[in-house]
Amino acid sequence: MPYLWLVFAILLEVTAITFMKLSDGFTKLWPSVLMFVFYGGCFACLCVCIKQLDISLAYAIWSALGTASI
């Protein structure tokens, strides 16, 4: 189950980064708001994940797959 939370965190991070690009330097309101919402969800899922996984393993997978996805 912690790996499922990790997958959700990665998907939310990729979505947040997409909205960061769409916000055009925070000049567009709704993409900027959605970026913060998705980043909040991303870190919430990551926090749930690291309750059961070692933080170094979770962070390594999260950062590697998030970077590769972008």
Side-chain angles (χ1 to χ4, degrees):
M1 190 67 179
Y3 289 103
L4 186 61
W5 285 109
L6 188 56
V7 168
F8 287 147
I10 293 166
L11 292 174
L12 289 171
E13 177 196 19
V14 170
T15 306
I17 290 172
T18 303
F19 277 104
M20 183 186 295
K21 172 74 174 161
L22 294 174
S23 74
D24 197 28
F26 300 112
T27 59
K28 297 180 182 173
L29 177 64
W30 288 111
S32 300
V33 169
L34 288 173
M35 182 204 66
F36 285 111
V37 168
F38 283 116
Y39 265 126
C42 167
F43 288 120
C45 289
L46 193 61
C47 287
V48 171
C49 170
I50 62 173
K51 288 182 180 180
Q52 297 176 359
L53 285 180
D54 188 35
I55 192 167
S56 60
L57 176 66
Y59 183 74
I61 294 171
W62 176 71
S63 62
L65 291 179
T67 302
S69 297
I70 296 302

